[in-house]
Every structure is written in structure tokens, then in C-alpha cells.
Coordinates of all heavy atoms in Angstrom, one line a residue:
M18 N 0.9 -42.5 -34.2 CA 0.2 -41.5 -33.2 C -0.5 -40.4 -34.1 O 0.0 -40.0 -35.1 CB 1.3 -40.9 -32.4 CG 0.8 -39.8 -31.4 SD 1.9 -39.2 -30.1 CE 3.4 -39.0 -30.9
S19 N -1.7 -40.2 -33.7 CA -2.6 -39.2 -34.4 C -2.0 -37.8 -34.2 O -1.3 -37.5 -33.3 CB -4.0 -39.3 -34.0 OG -4.1 -38.8 -32.6
I20 N -2.5 -36.9 -35.1 CA -2.1 -35.5 -35.0 C -2.4 -34.9 -33.6 O -1.7 -34.1 -33.0 CB -2.6 -34.7 -36.1 CG1 -2.0 -33.3 -36.1 CG2 -4.1 -34.6 -36.1 CD1 -0.6 -33.2 -36.5
D21 N -3.6 -35.2 -33.0 CA -4.0 -34.7 -31.8 C -3.1 -35.1 -30.7 O -2.8 -34.3 -29.8 CB -5.4 -35.1 -31.5 CG -6.4 -34.6 -32.4 OD1 -6.4 -33.4 -32.7 OD2 -7.3 -35.3 -32.9
K22 N -2.6 -36.4 -30.7 CA -1.7 -36.8 -29.7 C -0.3 -36.1 -29.8 O 0.3 -35.8 -28.8 CB -1.6 -38.3 -29.7 CG -2.9 -38.9 -29.3 CD -2.7 -40.4 -29.1 CE -4.0 -41.0 -28.6 NZ -4.8 -41.7 -29.6
K23 N 0.1 -35.8 -31.1 CA 1.3 -35.1 -31.3 C 1.2 -33.7 -30.7 O 2.1 -33.2 -30.0 CB 1.6 -35.0 -32.7 CG 2.1 -36.3 -33.3 CD 2.4 -36.2 -34.8 CE 2.8 -37.5 -35.4 NZ 3.0 -37.4 -36.8
I24 N 0.1 -33.0 -30.9 CA -0.2 -31.7 -30.4 C -0.1 -31.8 -28.8 O 0.4 -30.9 -28.2 CB -1.4 -31.1 -30.9 CG1 -1.3 -30.9 -32.4 CG2 -1.8 -29.9 -30.1 CD1 -2.6 -30.5 -33.1
L25 N -0.8 -32.8 -28.2 CA -0.8 -32.9 -26.8 C 0.6 -33.1 -26.2 O 1.0 -32.5 -25.2 CB -1.7 -34.1 -26.3 CG -3.2 -33.9 -26.5 CD1 -3.9 -35.2 -26.1 CD2 -3.6 -32.8 -25.5
C26 N 1.4 -34.0 -26.9 CA 2.7 -34.3 -26.4 C 3.6 -33.0 -26.5 O 4.3 -32.7 -25.5 CB 3.4 -35.4 -27.3 SG 2.7 -37.0 -26.9
E27 N 3.4 -32.2 -27.5 CA 4.1 -30.9 -27.6 C 3.7 -29.9 -26.6 O 4.5 -29.3 -25.9 CB 4.0 -30.3 -29.0 CG 4.7 -31.0 -30.1 CD 4.4 -30.5 -31.5 OE1 3.9 -29.4 -31.6 OE2 4.7 -31.2 -32.5
Y28 N 2.4 -29.8 -26.4 CA 1.9 -28.8 -25.4 C 2.3 -29.1 -24.0 O 2.7 -28.3 -23.3 CB 0.3 -28.7 -25.5 CG -0.3 -27.7 -24.6 CD1 -0.3 -26.4 -24.9 CD2 -0.8 -28.1 -23.4 CE1 -0.8 -25.5 -24.1 CE2 -1.4 -27.2 -22.5 CZ -1.4 -25.9 -22.9 OH -1.9 -24.9 -22.0
F29 N 2.2 -30.4 -23.6 CA 2.5 -30.8 -22.3 C 4.0 -31.1 -22.1 O 4.5 -31.5 -21.1 CB 1.7 -31.9 -21.8 CG 0.3 -31.5 -21.5 CD1 -0.7 -31.8 -22.4 CD2 -0.1 -30.8 -20.4 CE1 -2.0 -31.4 -22.2 CE2 -1.4 -30.4 -20.1 CZ -2.4 -30.7 -21.1
N30 N 4.7 -31.1 -23.2 CA 6.2 -31.4 -23.2 C 6.5 -32.8 -22.6 O 7.3 -32.9 -21.7 CB 6.9 -30.3 -22.6 CG 8.4 -30.4 -22.8 OD1 8.9 -30.9 -23.9 ND2 9.3 -29.9 -22.0
I31 N 5.7 -33.8 -23.1 CA 5.9 -35.2 -22.7 C 6.0 -36.1 -23.9 O 5.7 -35.6 -25.0 CB 4.7 -35.7 -21.7 CG1 3.4 -35.6 -22.5 CG2 4.7 -34.9 -20.5 CD1 2.2 -36.1 -21.7
N32 N 6.6 -37.2 -23.7 CA 6.7 -38.1 -24.8 C 5.5 -39.0 -25.0 O 4.6 -39.1 -24.1 CB 8.0 -39.0 -24.7 CG 8.0 -39.9 -23.5 OD1 6.9 -40.3 -23.1 ND2 9.1 -40.1 -22.9
E33 N 5.4 -39.7 -26.1 CA 4.3 -40.5 -26.5 C 4.0 -41.6 -25.4 O 2.8 -41.9 -25.1 CB 4.5 -41.2 -27.8 CG 3.3 -42.1 -28.3 CD 3.7 -42.7 -29.6 OE1 4.7 -42.4 -30.2 OE2 2.9 -43.6 -30.0
E34 N 5.0 -42.2 -24.9 CA 4.9 -43.3 -23.9 C 4.3 -42.8 -22.6 O 3.4 -43.4 -22.0 CB 6.2 -44.0 -23.6 CG 6.1 -45.2 -22.8 CD 5.4 -46.3 -23.5 OE1 5.4 -46.4 -24.8 OE2 4.7 -47.1 -22.8
L35 N 4.7 -41.6 -22.2 CA 4.1 -41.0 -20.9 C 2.7 -40.7 -21.1 O 1.8 -40.9 -20.2 CB 5.0 -39.8 -20.5 CG 4.5 -39.2 -19.2 CD1 4.6 -40.2 -18.0 CD2 5.4 -38.0 -18.9
L36 N 2.3 -40.1 -22.3 CA 1.0 -39.8 -22.6 C 0.1 -41.1 -22.6 O -1.0 -41.1 -22.0 CB 0.8 -39.1 -23.9 CG -0.6 -38.6 -24.2 CD1 -1.1 -37.6 -23.3 CD2 -0.7 -38.1 -25.7
K37 N 0.6 -42.1 -23.1 CA -0.1 -43.4 -23.1 C -0.3 -43.9 -21.7 O -1.4 -44.4 -21.4 CB 0.7 -44.4 -23.9 CG 0.1 -45.8 -24.1 CD 0.9 -46.7 -25.0 CE 0.4 -48.0 -25.1 NZ 1.2 -49.0 -25.8
N38 N 0.6 -43.7 -20.8 CA 0.5 -44.1 -19.4 C -0.5 -43.3 -18.7 O -1.0 -43.8 -17.6 CB 1.9 -44.0 -18.7 CG 2.8 -45.1 -19.2 OD1 2.4 -46.2 -19.8 ND2 4.1 -44.9 -19.0
K39 N -0.8 -42.1 -19.1 CA -1.8 -41.2 -18.5 C -3.2 -41.4 -18.9 O -4.1 -40.9 -18.4 CB -1.4 -39.7 -18.7 CG 0.0 -39.4 -18.2 CD 0.0 -39.4 -16.7 CE 1.3 -38.8 -16.2 NZ 1.3 -38.7 -14.7
K40 N -3.4 -42.3 -19.9 CA -4.7 -42.5 -20.5 C -5.5 -43.3 -19.4 O -5.0 -44.2 -18.7 CB -4.7 -43.3 -21.8 CG -6.0 -43.4 -22.5 CD -5.8 -43.9 -23.9 CE -7.1 -43.7 -24.6 NZ -7.0 -44.1 -26.0
V41 N -6.8 -43.0 -19.3 CA -7.6 -43.6 -18.2 C -7.8 -45.1 -18.5 O -7.8 -45.5 -19.7 CB -9.0 -43.0 -18.0 CG1 -8.8 -41.5 -17.5 CG2 -9.8 -43.0 -19.3
R42 N -8.0 -45.9 -17.5 CA -8.3 -47.3 -17.6 C -9.5 -47.8 -16.8 O -9.8 -47.2 -15.8 CB -7.1 -48.1 -17.0 CG -5.8 -47.9 -17.8 CD -4.6 -48.5 -17.0 NE -3.4 -48.3 -17.7 CZ -2.7 -47.2 -17.8 NH1 -3.1 -46.2 -17.1 NH2 -1.6 -47.1 -18.5
M43 N -10.3 -48.6 -17.4 CA -11.5 -49.1 -16.7 C -11.2 -49.8 -15.5 O -11.9 -49.8 -14.5 CB -12.3 -50.0 -17.6 CG -13.6 -50.6 -17.1 SD -14.8 -49.3 -16.6 CE -15.6 -49.1 -18.2
F44 N -10.0 -50.5 -15.4 CA -9.6 -51.3 -14.3 C -8.2 -50.8 -13.8 O -7.2 -51.4 -14.1 CB -9.5 -52.8 -14.6 CG -10.8 -53.4 -15.1 CD1 -11.0 -53.6 -16.4 CD2 -11.9 -53.6 -14.2 CE1 -12.2 -54.1 -16.8 CE2 -13.1 -54.1 -14.6 CZ -13.3 -54.4 -16.0
P45 N -8.3 -49.7 -13.1 CA -7.0 -49.0 -12.6 C -6.3 -49.9 -11.6 O -6.9 -50.7 -10.9 CB -7.5 -47.7 -12.1 CG -8.9 -48.0 -11.7 CD -9.4 -49.0 -12.6
S46 N -5.0 -49.6 -11.4 CA -4.2 -50.3 -10.5 C -3.6 -49.4 -9.3 O -2.7 -49.9 -8.7 CB -3.0 -51.0 -11.2 OG -2.2 -50.0 -11.9
S47 N -4.1 -48.3 -9.2 CA -3.7 -47.4 -8.2 C -4.0 -47.8 -6.8 O -5.1 -48.5 -6.6 CB -4.2 -45.9 -8.4 OG -3.8 -45.1 -7.4
K48 N -3.3 -47.5 -5.8 CA -3.5 -47.9 -4.4 C -4.4 -46.8 -3.8 O -4.8 -46.9 -2.7 CB -2.3 -48.1 -3.7 CG -1.5 -49.3 -4.1 CD -0.3 -49.6 -3.2 CE 0.5 -50.7 -3.6 NZ 0.2 -51.8 -4.4
Q49 N -4.6 -45.6 -4.5 CA -5.4 -44.6 -4.0 C -6.8 -44.6 -4.5 O -7.1 -44.6 -5.7 CB -4.8 -43.3 -4.4 CG -3.4 -43.0 -4.0 CD -2.7 -41.8 -4.6 OE1 -3.3 -41.2 -5.5 NE2 -1.5 -41.5 -4.1
P50 N -7.8 -44.8 -3.6 CA -9.2 -44.9 -4.1 C -9.7 -43.8 -4.9 O -10.5 -43.9 -5.9 CB -10.0 -44.9 -2.7 CG -9.0 -45.4 -1.7 CD -7.7 -44.8 -2.2
E51 N -9.2 -42.5 -4.6 CA -9.7 -41.4 -5.4 C -9.2 -41.5 -6.9 O -10.0 -41.2 -7.8 CB -9.1 -40.1 -4.8 CG -9.4 -38.8 -5.7 CD -8.6 -37.7 -5.2 OE1 -8.5 -37.4 -4.0 OE2 -8.1 -36.9 -6.1
Q52 N -8.0 -42.0 -7.1 CA -7.5 -42.2 -8.4 C -8.3 -43.3 -9.2 O -8.6 -43.1 -10.3 CB -6.0 -42.6 -8.4 CG -5.1 -41.5 -7.9 CD -5.0 -40.4 -8.9 OE1 -5.2 -40.6 -10.1 NE2 -4.6 -39.2 -8.5
N53 N -8.6 -44.3 -8.4 CA -9.3 -45.4 -9.0 C -10.8 -45.0 -9.5 O -11.2 -45.3 -10.6 CB -9.5 -46.6 -8.1 CG -8.1 -47.3 -7.9 OD1 -7.3 -47.2 -8.8 ND2 -8.0 -48.0 -6.8
I54 N -11.5 -44.2 -8.6 CA -12.8 -43.8 -8.9 C -12.8 -42.8 -10.1 O -13.6 -42.9 -11.0 CB -13.4 -43.0 -7.7 CG1 -13.7 -44.1 -6.6 CG2 -14.7 -42.3 -8.1 CD1 -14.1 -43.5 -5.3
K55 N -11.7 -42.0 -10.2 CA -11.6 -41.0 -11.3 C -11.4 -41.8 -12.6 O -12.0 -41.5 -13.6 CB -10.4 -40.1 -11.0 CG -10.2 -39.0 -12.1 CD -9.2 -38.0 -11.8 CE -8.0 -38.5 -10.9 NZ -7.0 -37.5 -10.7
H56 N -10.5 -42.8 -12.6 CA -10.3 -43.6 -13.8 C -11.6 -44.3 -14.2 O -11.8 -44.3 -15.5 CB -9.1 -44.6 -13.5 CG -7.8 -44.1 -13.7 ND1 -7.2 -44.3 -14.9 CD2 -7.0 -43.5 -12.9 CE1 -5.9 -43.8 -14.9 NE2 -5.8 -43.3 -13.7
I57 N -12.3 -44.9 -13.3 CA -13.5 -45.6 -13.7 C -14.5 -44.7 -14.3 O -15.1 -45.0 -15.3 CB -14.0 -46.5 -12.5 CG1 -13.0 -47.5 -12.2 CG2 -15.4 -47.0 -12.8 CD1 -13.2 -48.2 -10.8
F58 N -14.7 -43.6 -13.6 CA -15.7 -42.6 -14.1 C -15.4 -42.0 -15.5 O -16.2 -42.1 -16.4 CB -15.8 -41.4 -13.2 CG -16.6 -40.3 -13.7 CD1 -18.0 -40.3 -13.7 CD2 -16.0 -39.1 -14.2 CE1 -18.8 -39.3 -14.3 CE2 -16.7 -38.1 -14.7 CZ -18.1 -38.2 -14.7
L59 N -14.1 -41.7 -15.7 CA -13.7 -41.1 -17.0 C -13.7 -42.2 -18.1 O -14.0 -42.0 -19.2 CB -12.3 -40.5 -16.9 CG -12.3 -39.2 -16.1 CD1 -10.8 -38.8 -15.8 CD2 -13.1 -38.1 -16.8
S60 N -13.4 -43.4 -17.7 CA -13.4 -44.5 -18.6 C -14.9 -44.8 -19.1 O -15.1 -45.0 -20.3 CB -12.8 -45.8 -18.0 OG -12.8 -46.8 -18.9
C61 N -15.8 -44.7 -18.2 CA -17.2 -44.9 -18.5 C -17.7 -43.7 -19.4 O -18.4 -43.9 -20.4 CB -18.1 -44.9 -17.3 SG -18.0 -46.4 -16.4
L62 N -17.2 -42.5 -19.1 CA -17.5 -41.4 -20.0 C -17.0 -41.5 -21.4 O -17.7 -41.2 -22.4 CB -16.9 -40.1 -19.3 CG -17.3 -38.8 -19.9 CD1 -18.8 -38.5 -19.6 CD2 -16.5 -37.7 -19.2
T63 N -15.9 -42.1 -21.6 CA -15.3 -42.3 -22.9 C -15.9 -43.5 -23.7 O -15.9 -43.5 -24.8 CB -13.8 -42.4 -22.9 OG1 -13.5 -43.6 -22.2 CG2 -13.1 -41.2 -22.3
T64 N -16.4 -44.4 -22.9 CA -16.9 -45.7 -23.5 C -18.4 -45.7 -23.8 O -18.8 -46.2 -24.8 CB -16.5 -46.9 -22.6 OG1 -15.1 -46.8 -22.3 CG2 -16.9 -48.2 -23.3
I65 N -19.2 -45.2 -22.9 CA -20.6 -45.3 -23.0 C -21.1 -44.0 -23.7 O -21.3 -42.9 -23.0 CB -21.3 -45.5 -21.6 CG1 -20.7 -46.7 -21.0 CG2 -22.8 -45.6 -21.8 CD1 -21.0 -46.9 -19.5
K66 N -21.5 -44.1 -24.9 CA -21.9 -42.9 -25.7 C -23.1 -42.1 -25.1 O -23.0 -40.9 -25.0 CB -22.1 -43.4 -27.1 CG -22.4 -42.2 -28.1 CD -22.7 -42.8 -29.5 CE -23.1 -41.6 -30.4 NZ -23.5 -42.1 -31.7
S67 N -24.1 -42.9 -24.7 CA -25.3 -42.2 -24.2 C -25.0 -41.5 -22.9 O -25.6 -40.4 -22.7 CB -26.4 -43.2 -24.0 OG -26.0 -44.2 -23.1
F68 N -24.1 -42.0 -22.1 CA -23.7 -41.4 -20.8 C -23.0 -40.1 -21.1 O -23.3 -39.1 -20.5 CB -22.8 -42.4 -20.1 CG -22.4 -41.9 -18.7 CD1 -23.2 -41.3 -17.8 CD2 -21.0 -41.8 -18.4 CE1 -22.7 -40.9 -16.6 CE2 -20.5 -41.4 -17.2 CZ -21.4 -40.9 -16.3
R69 N -22.0 -40.1 -22.1 CA -21.3 -38.9 -22.4 C -22.2 -37.8 -23.0 O -22.1 -36.6 -22.8 CB -20.0 -39.2 -23.1 CG -20.2 -39.2 -24.6 CD -18.9 -39.2 -25.3 NE -19.1 -39.8 -26.6 CZ -18.5 -40.8 -27.0 NH1 -17.6 -41.5 -26.4 NH2 -18.8 -41.3 -28.3
E70 N -23.1 -38.2 -23.9 CA -24.0 -37.3 -24.5 C -24.9 -36.6 -23.5 O -25.1 -35.4 -23.6 CB -24.9 -38.1 -25.6 CG -24.1 -38.4 -26.8 CD -24.9 -39.2 -27.8 OE1 -26.1 -39.6 -27.4 OE2 -24.3 -39.6 -28.8
K71 N -25.4 -37.4 -22.5 CA -26.2 -36.8 -21.5 C -25.5 -35.9 -20.6 O -25.9 -34.8 -20.2 CB -26.9 -37.9 -20.7 CG -27.9 -37.5 -19.7 CD -29.2 -37.1 -20.5 CE -30.3 -37.1 -19.6 NZ -31.5 -36.6 -20.2
L72 N -24.3 -36.3 -20.2 CA -23.5 -35.5 -19.2 C -22.8 -34.3 -19.9 O -22.8 -33.2 -19.3 CB -22.4 -36.4 -18.6 CG -21.7 -35.9 -17.4 CD1 -22.7 -35.7 -16.2 CD2 -20.6 -36.8 -17.0
L73 N -22.3 -34.4 -21.0 CA -21.6 -33.3 -21.7 C -22.5 -32.5 -22.7 O -22.0 -31.5 -23.3 CB -20.4 -33.8 -22.5 CG -19.4 -34.6 -21.6 CD1 -18.2 -35.1 -22.4 CD2 -18.8 -33.6 -20.4
G74 N -23.6 -32.9 -23.0 CA -24.5 -32.4 -24.0 C -24.7 -30.9 -23.8 O -24.8 -30.1 -24.8
D75 N -24.8 -30.4 -22.6 CA -25.0 -28.9 -22.5 C -23.7 -28.1 -22.4 O -23.8 -26.9 -22.5 CB -25.8 -28.7 -21.1 CG -27.2 -29.2 -21.1 OD1 -27.8 -29.4 -22.3 OD2 -27.7 -29.5 -20.0
L76 N -22.6 -28.8 -22.3 CA -21.3 -28.1 -22.2 C -20.8 -27.9 -23.6 O -20.1 -26.8 -23.7 CB -20.4 -28.9 -21.4 CG -20.8 -29.2 -19.9 CD1 -19.8 -30.0 -19.2 CD2 -20.9 -27.8 -19.2
V77 N -20.8 -28.7 -24.5 CA -20.2 -28.6 -25.8 C -21.2 -28.8 -26.9 O -22.3 -29.3 -26.6 CB -19.0 -29.7 -25.9 CG1 -18.0 -29.4 -25.0 CG2 -19.5 -31.1 -25.8
K78 N -20.8 -28.4 -28.0 CA -21.6 -28.7 -29.2 C -22.1 -30.2 -29.3 O -21.3 -31.0 -28.8 CB -20.8 -28.3 -30.5 CG -21.6 -28.4 -31.8 CD -20.7 -27.8 -32.9 CE -20.3 -29.0 -33.8 NZ -19.5 -28.5 -34.9
P79 N -23.3 -30.4 -29.7 CA -23.7 -31.8 -29.6 C -22.7 -32.8 -30.2 O -22.2 -32.6 -31.3 CB -25.0 -31.8 -30.5 CG -25.5 -30.4 -30.3 CD -24.3 -29.6 -30.2
I80 N -22.4 -33.9 -29.5 CA -21.4 -34.9 -29.9 C -22.1 -36.1 -30.3 O -21.7 -37.2 -29.9 CB -20.4 -35.0 -28.8 CG1 -21.0 -35.4 -27.4 CG2 -19.4 -33.8 -28.7 CD1 -20.0 -35.8 -26.4
T81 N -23.3 -36.1 -30.9 CA -24.0 -37.2 -31.2 C -23.6 -37.9 -32.5 O -24.1 -38.9 -32.9 CB -25.5 -36.9 -31.3 OG1 -25.7 -35.9 -32.2 CG2 -26.0 -36.4 -29.9
N82 N -22.7 -37.2 -33.3 CA -22.4 -37.8 -34.6 C -21.6 -39.2 -34.4 O -21.0 -39.4 -33.4 CB -21.7 -36.9 -35.5 CG -20.3 -36.5 -35.0 OD1 -19.7 -37.1 -34.2 ND2 -19.9 -35.4 -35.5
Q83 N -21.6 -40.0 -35.5 CA -21.0 -41.3 -35.4 C -19.5 -41.2 -35.3 O -18.8 -42.2 -34.8 CB -21.3 -42.0 -36.6 CG -22.8 -42.3 -36.8 CD -23.3 -43.5 -36.0 OE1 -22.5 -44.4 -35.7 NE2 -24.5 -43.6 -35.7
T84 N -18.9 -40.1 -35.7 CA -17.4 -40.1 -35.8 C -16.8 -39.4 -34.6 O -15.6 -39.2 -34.6 CB -16.9 -39.4 -37.1 OG1 -17.5 -38.0 -37.0 CG2 -17.4 -40.1 -38.3
A85 N -17.6 -39.0 -33.6 CA -17.0 -38.4 -32.4 C -16.2 -39.4 -31.6 O -16.6 -40.6 -31.4 CB -18.1 -37.8 -31.5
N86 N -15.1 -39.0 -31.1 CA -14.2 -39.9 -30.3 C -13.8 -39.0 -29.1 O -13.3 -37.9 -29.2 CB -13.0 -40.4 -31.1 CG -12.2 -41.3 -30.3 OD1 -12.7 -42.1 -29.5 ND2 -10.9 -41.2 -30.4
L87 N -14.0 -39.6 -27.9 CA -13.6 -38.9 -26.6 C -12.5 -39.7 -25.9 O -12.7 -40.9 -25.8 CB -14.8 -38.7 -25.7 CG -14.5 -38.0 -24.4 CD1 -14.2 -36.5 -24.6 CD2 -15.7 -38.0 -23.5
E88 N -11.4 -39.1 -25.6 CA -10.3 -39.7 -24.9 C -10.1 -39.0 -23.6 O -10.3 -37.7 -23.6 CB -9.0 -39.7 -25.7 CG -9.1 -40.6 -26.9 CD -7.8 -40.6 -27.7 OE1 -6.7 -40.4 -27.1 OE2 -7.8 -41.0 -28.9
A89 N -9.7 -39.6 -22.6 CA -9.4 -39.0 -21.3 C -8.1 -39.4 -20.7 O -7.6 -40.6 -20.9 CB -10.6 -39.4 -20.3
Y90 N -7.4 -38.4 -20.1 CA -6.1 -38.6 -19.5 C -6.2 -38.1 -18.1 O -7.0 -37.2 -17.8 CB -5.0 -37.9 -20.3 CG -4.9 -38.4 -21.7 CD1 -5.7 -37.8 -22.7 CD2 -4.1 -39.5 -22.1 CE1 -5.7 -38.2 -24.0 CE2 -4.1 -39.9 -23.4 CZ -4.9 -39.3 -24.4 OH -4.8 -39.7 -25.7
T91 N -5.3 -38.6 -17.2 CA -5.3 -38.1 -15.8 C -3.9 -37.6 -15.5 O -2.9 -38.1 -16.0 CB -5.7 -39.1 -14.8 OG1 -4.9 -40.2 -14.9 CG2 -7.2 -39.5 -15.0
E92 N -3.9 -36.6 -14.5 CA -2.6 -36.1 -14.0 C -1.5 -35.8 -15.0 O -0.4 -36.1 -14.9 CB -2.0 -37.1 -13.0 CG -3.0 -37.6 -12.0 CD -3.4 -36.5 -11.0 OE1 -2.6 -35.6 -10.7 OE2 -4.5 -36.5 -10.5
V93 N -1.9 -35.1 -16.1 CA -1.0 -34.7 -17.2 C -0.4 -33.3 -16.7 O -1.2 -32.4 -16.5 CB -1.6 -34.6 -18.5 CG1 -0.6 -34.1 -19.6 CG2 -2.2 -35.9 -18.9
S94 N 0.9 -33.2 -16.6 CA 1.5 -32.0 -16.1 C 2.0 -31.1 -17.2 O 2.5 -31.6 -18.2 CB 2.7 -32.3 -15.1 OG 2.3 -33.1 -14.0
C95 N 1.9 -29.8 -17.0 CA 2.4 -28.8 -17.9 C 3.7 -28.3 -17.4 O 4.1 -28.5 -16.3 CB 1.5 -27.6 -18.0 SG 0.0 -27.9 -18.9
E96 N 4.4 -27.6 -18.3 CA 5.7 -27.0 -17.9 C 5.5 -26.0 -16.8 O 6.4 -25.7 -15.9 CB 6.4 -26.3 -19.0 CG 7.1 -27.3 -20.0 CD 7.9 -26.7 -21.0 OE1 7.8 -25.4 -21.2 OE2 8.5 -27.4 -21.8
N97 N 4.4 -25.3 -16.8 CA 4.1 -24.2 -15.8 C 3.6 -24.8 -14.4 O 3.1 -24.1 -13.6 CB 3.1 -23.2 -16.3 CG 1.7 -23.7 -16.6 OD1 1.5 -25.0 -16.4 ND2 0.9 -22.9 -17.0
K98 N 3.7 -26.1 -14.4 CA 3.3 -26.9 -13.1 C 1.9 -27.1 -12.9 O 1.5 -27.6 -11.9 CB 4.0 -26.3 -11.9 CG 5.5 -26.1 -12.0 CD 6.2 -27.4 -12.2 CE 7.8 -27.1 -12.2 NZ 8.4 -27.9 -13.1
D99 N 1.0 -26.6 -13.9 CA -0.4 -27.0 -13.8 C -0.5 -28.5 -14.0 O 0.1 -29.1 -14.8 CB -1.2 -26.2 -14.8 CG -1.3 -24.7 -14.5 OD1 -1.2 -24.4 -13.3 OD2 -1.7 -24.0 -15.4
R100 N -1.4 -29.1 -13.2 CA -1.7 -30.5 -13.4 C -3.2 -30.7 -13.2 O -3.7 -31.0 -12.0 CB -0.9 -31.3 -12.4 CG -1.0 -32.8 -12.7 CD -0.3 -33.6 -11.8 NE -1.0 -33.6 -10.5 CZ -0.5 -34.0 -9.3 NH1 0.7 -34.4 -9.2 NH2 -1.3 -33.9 -8.3
P101 N -4.0 -30.7 -14.3 CA -5.4 -30.9 -14.1 C -5.7 -32.3 -13.7 O -4.9 -33.2 -14.0 CB -6.0 -30.6 -15.6 CG -4.8 -30.8 -16.4 CD -3.6 -30.5 -15.7
D102 N -6.8 -32.5 -13.0 CA -7.1 -33.9 -12.5 C -7.5 -34.8 -13.7 O -7.2 -35.9 -13.7 CB -8.4 -33.8 -11.6 CG -8.0 -33.3 -10.2 OD1 -6.8 -33.4 -9.8 OD2 -8.8 -32.9 -9.5
A103 N -8.1 -34.1 -14.8 CA -8.5 -34.9 -16.0 C -8.3 -34.0 -17.1 O -8.5 -32.8 -17.1 CB -9.8 -35.4 -15.8
L104 N -8.0 -34.6 -18.2 CA -7.9 -33.9 -19.6 C -8.8 -34.7 -20.5 O -8.6 -35.9 -20.8 CB -6.5 -33.9 -20.1 CG -6.3 -33.4 -21.5 CD1 -6.6 -31.9 -21.5 CD2 -4.8 -33.6 -21.9
L105 N -9.9 -34.1 -21.1 CA -10.7 -34.7 -22.1 C -10.4 -34.2 -23.4 O -10.3 -32.9 -23.6 CB -12.2 -34.4 -21.7 CG -12.8 -34.9 -20.4 CD1 -14.2 -34.4 -20.2 CD2 -12.6 -36.4 -20.3
V106 N -10.2 -35.1 -24.4 CA -9.9 -34.7 -25.7 C -11.0 -35.2 -26.7 O -11.2 -36.4 -26.8 CB -8.5 -35.3 -26.2 CG1 -8.2 -34.9 -27.6 CG2 -7.4 -34.8 -25.2
L107 N -11.8 -34.3 -27.3 CA -12.8 -34.7 -28.2 C -12.4 -34.4 -29.6 O -12.0 -33.3 -29.9 CB -14.1 -33.9 -27.8 CG -15.3 -34.1 -28.7 CD1 -15.8 -35.5 -28.6 CD2 -16.4 -33.1 -28.4
T108 N -12.5 -35.5 -30.4 CA -12.2 -35.3 -31.9 C -13.4 -35.7 -32.6 O -14.1 -36.7 -32.3 CB -11.0 -36.1 -32.3 OG1 -11.2 -37.5 -31.9 CG2 -9.7 -35.6 -31.7
T109 N -13.7 -34.9 -33.7 CA -14.9 -35.2 -34.5 C -14.5 -35.0 -36.0 O -13.5 -34.4 -36.3 CB -16.1 -34.3 -34.2 OG1 -15.7 -32.9 -34.4 CG2 -16.6 -34.5 -32.7
G110 N -15.4 -35.5 -36.8 CA -15.2 -35.3 -38.2 C -14.7 -36.5 -39.0 O -14.3 -37.5 -38.4
K111 N -14.6 -36.4 -40.3 CA -14.2 -37.5 -41.1 C -12.7 -37.8 -40.9 O -12.2 -39.0 -41.2 CB -14.5 -37.3 -42.5 CG -13.7 -36.1 -43.1 CD -14.1 -36.0 -44.6 CE -13.2 -34.8 -45.2 NZ -13.5 -34.7 -46.6
N112 N -11.9 -36.9 -40.4 CA -10.5 -37.1 -40.1 C -10.2 -37.6 -38.8 O -9.0 -37.6 -38.3 CB -9.7 -35.9 -40.5 CG -9.7 -35.5 -42.0 OD1 -9.8 -36.4 -42.8 ND2 -9.7 -34.3 -42.2
N113 N -11.2 -38.0 -38.1 CA -11.1 -38.5 -36.7 C -10.1 -39.7 -36.6 O -10.3 -40.6 -37.4 CB -12.5 -38.9 -36.2 CG -12.4 -39.3 -34.7 OD1 -11.5 -39.0 -34.0 ND2 -13.5 -39.9 -34.3
P114 N -9.1 -39.7 -35.8 CA -8.2 -40.8 -35.7 C -8.8 -42.0 -35.2 O -9.7 -42.0 -34.4 CB -7.1 -40.3 -34.7 CG -7.6 -39.1 -34.0 CD -8.9 -38.6 -34.8

């Protein structure tokens, strides 16, 4: 597990397996259409580089370098009961996992 995932597990107080289960999937298996659409959209965002650059380009520092990696998770709960619909994790640089 990379250092970023260890930090996420500590922050959200969840184990590695649960975090793995929260990662988005291109072909989700939920019976809820909203969940499926969210998974497909986020999966496209993490997979299609030009799509994420266009969509996120104005929000964050340019992520056009070769070593940028974007991961997405859904419904990750915090101890304070916050549960964002999606969590995007952007890692860049030569130490990118």
C-alpha cells in the first residue's frame, strides 16, 4: 500500500480492504442508478487523461505531467460522520505510487 493510502486509511479510520472496496469501478454493481452513474463518471475521470485535464484544469495546478495519478473513491465515511459523495486523490512527482 502506498503512503497516500496509509494516510487515507488513518484519516478516515478504515482498513486497507474497506478503502479498496470504496475505489470507483468502470462497471459498478450497485442497484442504485445514482451510484452507478457516479462510479462511471469518476472512473472516466481517472482513466481518460484529456478528460480530467479539461475538467479539472481550472481547479488545480496543471496536472499535465506524465507522472500524475488520479484515484477516486466513493462514500468514504469519517469519524465525524461526514461522508463525501466522492474523494479524489491526486498524486504527482517522481515518488508517485
Side-chain angles (χ1 to χ4, degrees):
M18 178 168 41
S19 70
I20 188 69
D21 294 316
K22 291 188 179 109
K23 287 180 183 177
I24 292 170
L25 285 175
C26 288
E27 288 175 15
Y28 182 80
F29 288 104
N30 196 23
I31 58 176
N32 62 34
E33 178 184 353
E34 190 63 31
L35 184 57
L36 184 64
K37 185 178 175 182
N38 291 338
K39 299 292 186 177
K40 194 166 184 175
V41 297
R42 294 170 179 81
M43 179 62 83
F44 302 104
S46 58
S47 175
K48 294 186 186 329
Q49 300 173 351
E51 175 189 316
Q52 292 289 338
N53 290 337
I54 291 168
K55 181 172 33 176
H56 272 265
I57 293 168
F58 170 75
L59 291 170
S60 183
C61 288
L62 190 64
T63 61
T64 306
I65 304 169
K66 185 179 176 188
S67 59
F68 179 54
R69 87 169 158 239
E70 288 173 358
K71 190 73 165 171
L72 195 64
L73 300 177
D75 293 337
L76 299 176
V77 296
K78 186 172 110 177
I80 53 173
T81 58
N82 66 19
Q83 298 278 336
T84 60
N86 183 38
L87 182 68
E88 294 183 19
Y90 303 89
T91 60
E92 308 291 331
V93 180
S94 301
C95 287
E96 284 185 355
N97 66 359
K98 306 299 183 219
D99 286 342
R100 190 183 71 194
D102 286 336
L104 173 66
L105 298 175
V106 179
L107 177 65
T108 52
T109 61
K111 66 180 182 180
N112 295 326
N113 184 17

